[in-house]
Amino acid sequence: MKVRKKGLLGSMLAIVLVLGALLGACGTDQPTGVAVQTVSGVVTVGTPTVGLKTCTSCHTSQTSDWMLTKHANVEPLGNLYSAGNPTLGQIAGCTINCHDSNGDGAGNSFTAGYTGNVARPVVGCESCHGGGSLHVAAGGSGPIGFATTTAMVIGTTSTLQVSAQFRTCTGCHELLEPNDPLNTAATPTHLTSVPTGSSYIITDTHFAKAGTYDGGGHNLSGTEPVGYAMNFASETVCTDCHNPHKTADINREWAASLHANRNSTGPWGAYNWSCEDGPCLFPSPATPLPGFGSRAQCQRCHTTTGFASYADALRNNNTALADGIATGSSPVIAYDPQFKPQMLECAGCHTDNKGTVRNPGSFRATYTLPVNNWPASPIIPTAAQVTYQYPDIGASNVCLPCHTGRGSGRTIHALNTGQTTTEDFGSLFDTFGFPLGYMLVDGHYLTAGGTMFRGIGYEYYGRSYSDPQSFKHEEIGTASVPNTGTSGPCVGCHMYRPGLPANHLFQPVMKDGTTITAVSSEICFNCHAGSSTGLAEVLEQEKIKYEDSLQALSQSLLASSPSFSFGAFPYFNYSNWLSTGDTDWTGNTTGKNNMGAASNMAMLSHEEGGYVHNSRYVKRLIYDSIDWIDDNAMNYSVGNTIDGQCGAAPYAFGWCAGAKSYLLYGAPNTSGERP
């Protein structure tokens, strides 16, 4: 018995070892060069092919996806007017490396939409993955390597390290100018003449030039960051964003979105986001000042690399790293004077090309105010710091780290409460003459999550800012609001399309200029009656009244002090926050409330959708800010204040009626105050 057990165990061990070898090879990473090690040997450029039908007989799901792409060329006899679906006659001489290199296009009856037995130039499995004979011989266990039969010219003036995947894809999809592959865009060298006489160029935006930055890292030259920065040496350089077995519809949508905005003054190209102390100092004094000019803390939202690292650190509960990235003490991207702007690309929000979301988990925001003693300290201390826990909203968590603002009115309440330093609200200037208000007391930009979940406003004591039971926007994308998806409110409103791929335009409405013309988010009609254009008219009127109300608040702030200014866009510029006659330099009597009103104004001025994200909350913030600033008392005086600002009817300003309608209960010309 013992001998038999030993034999059985030995046999089982052998089986396990074999299975381990087979399974270990299946699904492993792609190669770093021309060859791939498998259980049966090495896949080289000369490895025999097995043909498309052999591949599709096993990989049925990939085949179904592939058939939807231009690579499959499923249209009968090819579409003479499509660069993606040529006929053999159109690409004579081009079949050796890319199009139908194995003759797979002839008589593939499994290809939907294709009839006849005429060979067509498909880009099949082995065109990209290399010969599959060893893969088949090993029972389908070994990975298939990238084919590198088409050598890429690296250049005569410079060299560039590239991956096998890069060489494979750019063998057909030409990308770089051979004479200068580091910086220059592709030239139109791959032309195909079609019967219309037009020329189709296989080239695209997949390159990037370094912007011309001044000493402070600004892109003041107007140089367009003309492409999408990529790491050409990465083994996933192409598949980070593209699934070659899928259509490119999502990629095209993303390219038309603000996440892909290539404007030199936009969020991705306005600065050299790798800037550190000294090299990017702005302005440029004789002695470099510690901390001033650094853009490291901006990388977490203004670069793909920074955001991916920040979100992963949050997800892994690596608090030290996450804080280091957020504060800039642990830069993700080292200083590079030839930094190439990175838009928020696919690899920022997704961990693979199949749409897996890089979910950072429930986001806990840390809001700080810097102390006003630069450059006395080599490290910028904090005058006040608060945290705010945002709820877990599923896949929409990925939006919150960058759409909950960098400043919060809560930090104003925290000033002079014994945290670190004391500040004089009668003279809040730093060494450069910038008032404290200039430094992130406002929410920064596009703070939709901070508005929806009430995390960034300056809230006045004695007033309630909780949402009414009827408010459902924060529950969109959850079971509480059926038929709105399962990925939370951000995805639910901006991306969810039942039965279709997610909307990567991120646009819940359509606009003509700034005017809302249609509602494109289908989930709105679960709760709101009307047509797309009808609901758009309602939203447009709400938007106008929201903007009118901010005009009323701005007017109140200017009336409270002629020195108050929003000239330091997008912030506000003022030093003495104490009301006339107030000597309480701690700000607890009038200073904090005055600064809070300005903070609400600055934050909401850059929250374009506040009237939708949480209309009740923004109305409360605007109303209470005016109520305080008009006479330094919370006494429900907003209606009379607006009447006084606007004069006798007809109102002197166009915003008067809209502001009263938005902020007050009752008809537009009454003074029914908010409770």
Side-chain angles (χ1 to χ4, degrees), residues 9-372:
L9 289 173
S11 300
M12 290 180 65
L13 178 59
I15 293 172
V16 169
L17 289 173
V18 171
L19 288 175
L22 294 175
L23 295 175
C26 187
T28 56
D29 292 338
Q30 295 289 1
T32 57
V34 175
V36 183
Q37 183 71 42
T38 70
V39 294
S40 300
V42 176
V43 176
T44 65
V45 172
T47 298
T49 60
V50 294
L52 183 61
K53 287 185 178 180
T54 300
C55 302
T56 59
S57 65
C58 287
H59 301 284
T60 54
S61 61
Q62 289 88 343
T63 300
S64 298
D65 292 339
W66 170 79
M67 283 165 54
L68 299 176
T69 71
K70 295 293 187 182
H71 286 166
N73 193 18
V74 298
E75 298 178 30
L77 302 183
N79 180 350
L80 299 183
Y81 304 98
S82 170
N85 296 74
T87 64
L88 284 176
Q90 289 175 273
I91 60 165
C94 301
T95 60
I96 296 176
N97 297 320
C98 298
H99 298 278
D100 200 29
S101 58
N102 299 319
D104 286 326
N108 286 325
S109 59
F110 66 86
T111 306
Y114 177 74
T115 58
N117 198 39
V118 178
R120 2 172 233 121
V122 301
V123 178
C125 308
E126 292 168 303
S127 296
C128 297
H129 292 288
S133 56
L134 294 179
H135 177 73
V136 173
S141 63
I144 299 297
F146 292 111
T148 56
T149 56
T150 302
M152 190 186 99
V153 178
I154 300 300
T156 58
T157 60
S158 57
T159 59
L160 181 68
Q161 182 180 353
V162 298
S163 65
Q165 183 176 104
F166 181 86
R167 289 184 64 185
T168 295
C169 298
T170 58
C172 292
H173 298 282
E174 296 176 10
L175 184 63
L176 299 177
E177 167 57 46
N179 291 329
D180 188 10
L182 292 176
N183 294 309
T184 307
T187 53
T189 57
H190 193 144
L191 304 179
T192 300
S193 296
V194 295
T196 61
S198 301
S199 294
Y200 290 95
I201 304 169
I202 300 182
T203 186
D204 45 36
T205 55
H206 293 56
F207 53 85
K209 291 182 180 180
T212 302
Y213 304 100
D214 67 4
H218 295 69
N219 190 352
L220 299 180
S221 68
T223 300
E224 182 84 2
V226 289
Y228 309 131
M230 300 187 300
N231 176 9
F232 298 138
S234 169
E235 291 301 337
T236 57
V237 58
C238 301
T239 56
D240 278 343
C241 286
H242 292 277
N243 186 339
H245 305 131
K246 294 278 190 179
T247 67
D249 293 344
I250 287 177
N251 302 80
R252 294 188 183 97
E253 285 186 348
W254 170 83
S257 76
L258 291 179
H259 282 171
N261 183 354
R262 294 183 288 129
N263 190 294
S264 60
T265 59
W268 321 113
Y271 293 92
N272 179 338
W273 299 111
S274 75
C275 282
E276 297 175 354
D277 302 346
C280 297
L281 196 61
F282 182 78
S284 183
T287 304
L289 303 177
F292 200 77
S294 174
R295 295 287 167 181
Q297 62 184 317
C298 308
Q299 293 175 8
R300 69 181 176 105
C301 287
H302 290 272
T303 70
T304 292
T305 303
F307 179 76
S309 299
Y310 183 55
D312 287 347
L314 291 171
R315 183 64 176 176
N316 296 328
N317 294 316
N318 191 338
T319 304
L321 178 58
D323 289 346
I325 295 172
T327 61
S329 61
S330 300
V332 176
I333 302 172
Y335 172 63
D336 181 1
Q338 294 299 308
F339 170 77
K340 296 177 180 180
Q342 301 176 6
M343 292 70 188
L344 185 56
E345 299 169 1
C346 308
C349 296
H350 299 282
T351 58
D352 56 40
N353 61 12
K354 299 177 179 62
T356 304
V357 175
R358 191 183 299 279
N359 192 335
S362 179
F363 181 57
R364 184 177 181 84
T366 299
Y367 298 110
T368 62
L369 276 177
V371 74
N372 64 340

Side-chain angles (χ1 to χ4, degrees), residues 404-408 440-447 456 599 602-603:
T404 49
R406 291 191 58 203
S408 170
L440 300 182
V441 176
D442 74 320
H444 200 45
Y445 289 100
L446 304 178
T447 57
I456 61 174
S599 174
M603 182 266 289

